[in-house]
Amino acid sequence: MSVKRWGGLVLGCSGLVLSLNAQAVQDPQSITIGLSLPQLANPWYIEAKAGMEKACTELGIKCVAIDAHNSVEKQHDDIQGMIDEQYDAILASALDMGNLTSLYAKAKKQGIITASLAQTIPHSDLYYKVDEHGYGYEIGAQAANWAKKNLKCKAKVVLITQDNLVTVKARGNGAERALKAICPEIEIVARYHADDPYRGMNVMDWILPSHPDLNMVVTTTDASAIGSYLALQVNEISGKDIAVFSGDATQDALHMIAEDNSVFRGTVNLYPFQGGYDSVMRLYEMVQNGAPAFPKFETLPYTALSQEQVRSGDYERSF
């Protein structure tokens, strides 16, 4: 979205009013927004970062994105560094919200705008959150409906979740609830956590020897689904009765879904690029206008995408 300024009025190409101040308090080039992400091995975070960077380029502000490498301690130190350097705003997706609560309280006292993306952190001025259970249910429902149509619900499933993240556990619970509600005959042989492709592959290495008749892999993120799909390929497991389902609709997953004879049969779009882009736009407004009296809440939308939809060309990326 291109940004134009008339006096203090900031408009996007859609006509959306971002600021009504008589004049901007800061030159955009003097503004710095920090982004802390759990790990950039996860394609969802890669695309959220891309959305953030696009917004920063359009606004002419400086943005710094830091990978926490799945370390709670590193994320804490990274955000402490942003506070020490007096960034204008901080956006984070928390590995452990409790670990960041006091830091966000400290940032607010120093006049730094704070925001949460996906995983919430107390003391945020902006919460761009996920309906974790609802999103997980949509993932599980897409998988279960496929199993009902193609396997008469007679399927053995491994459920790969993100139970290592307390705030995301509800996503796995939603997926499991949908599988059992729509297809009571489905057998969930195991539930493991994995939120990157490498661990997704490792989970399949553990599962396949014990369950060579596994029919389905249902994951709560494309990252682990990508690893699971590659593991099935390596083990030459394919056919019309095999399926992988996940959530995020990242570019890598969509490419795999579209491949000839792919058993990666569907995902659920969580719009990571939009989340990163919109968050920065709202933070910029808050930096210019001051912190809101009450926190602002947004919810990431989600939409199921079947293999047929991806291959048809009807689905258009948001970027």
Side-chain angles (χ1 to χ4, degrees):
M1 182 177 77
S2 60
V3 175
K4 298 180 181 179
R5 184 186 299 274
W6 288 271
L9 180 66
V10 181
L11 297 176
C13 59
S14 64
L16 173 67
V17 177
L18 294 180
S19 174
L20 291 172
N21 270 5
Q23 60 181 15
V25 250
Q26 284 185 251
D27 179 347
Q29 293 184 356
S30 72
I31 292 173
T32 301
I33 294 179
L35 173 65
S36 172
L37 294 171
Q39 59 163 332
L40 285 173
N42 185 322
W44 195 89
Y45 292 120
I46 293 173
E47 294 191 20
K49 176 175 175 283
M52 174 196 179
E53 289 172 341
K54 186 172 191 294
C56 293
T57 299
E58 291 179 2
L59 293 167
I61 64 178
K62 180 181 178 182
C63 290
V64 179
I66 301 179
D67 185 347
H69 298 294
N70 250 356
S71 166
V72 171
E73 293 77 15
K74 183 178 186 302
Q75 186 171 53
H76 182 280
D77 292 345
D78 291 340
I79 292 177
Q80 179 64 65
M82 295 176 187
I83 294 171
D84 292 343
E85 293 180 32
Q86 281 291 296
Y87 282 24
D88 297 279
I90 298 172
L91 171 64
S93 186
L95 282 161
D96 178 354
M97 66 178 183
N99 187 55
L100 302 179
T101 300
S102 61
L103 280 182
Y104 263 37
K106 178 181 179 181
K108 284 176 68 68
K109 286 181 180 178
Q110 295 186 19
I112 298 171
I113 305 297
T114 54
S116 304
L117 178 61
Q119 281 73 61
T120 60
I121 307 165
H123 304 296
S124 292
D125 294 304
L126 170 67
Y127 293 91
Y128 216 129
K129 59 191 183 65
V130 179
D131 174 4
E132 295 290 358
H133 188 275
Y135 176 50
Y137 195 96
E138 188 76 6
I139 294 169
Q142 187 183 40
N145 285 320
W146 183 90
K148 187 174 184 178
K149 178 181 178 181
N150 295 279
L151 304 175
K152 295 184 171 36
C153 287
K154 300 185 186 305
K156 289 189 174 183
V157 179
V158 58
L159 180 60
I160 304 179
T161 67
Q162 294 158 279
D163 290 349
N164 54 314
L165 300 174
V166 175
T167 55
V168 189
K169 189 171 183 179
R171 190 183 304 181
N173 294 341
E176 184 168 348
R177 180 170 293 180
L179 288 167
K180 291 178 177 178
I182 296 168
C183 265
E185 301 93 334
I186 272 182
E187 180 185 354
I188 299 176
V189 300
R191 176 169 169 165
Y192 286 95
H193 78 265
D195 51 12
D196 64 63
Y198 312 106
R199 185 168 170 84
M201 291 185 74
N202 289 337
V203 167
M204 295 307 293
D205 287 342
W206 303 330
I207 286 290
L208 288 174
S210 302
H211 300 281
D213 54 346
L214 189 75
N215 295 93
M216 297 177 65
V217 181
V218 179
T219 79
T220 58
T221 173
D222 280 348
S224 55
I226 288 167
S228 302
Y229 173 70
L230 293 174
L232 291 175
Q233 285 188 316
V234 167
N235 286 278
E236 299 182 344
I237 298 173
S238 61
K240 62 182 182 180
D241 61 340
I242 306 294
V244 176
F245 286 93
S246 70
D248 287 348
T250 56
Q251 291 187 72
D252 290 343
L254 292 174
H255 288 317
M256 292 176 177
I257 290 170
E259 289 175 351
D260 292 339
N261 303 313
S262 175
V263 300
F264 201 153
R265 303 192 186 276
T267 186
V268 178
N269 195 351
L270 192 58
Y271 300 93
F273 186 91
Q274 179 182 334
Y277 182 94
D278 289 351
S279 294
V280 168
M281 286 296 184
R282 284 157 177 74
L283 286 174
Y284 177 78
E285 178 188 5
M286 291 178 185
V287 168
Q288 295 289 33
N289 293 344
F294 301 99
K296 302 297 183 182
F297 292 88
E298 301 281 351
T299 301
L300 285 161
Y302 52 84
T303 307
L305 283 172
S306 67
Q307 190 174 57
E308 292 74 17
Q309 288 173 302
V310 174
R311 288 176 171 175
S312 71
D314 292 338
Y315 168 64
E316 294 184 4
R317 297 289 299 171
S318 57
F319 61 97

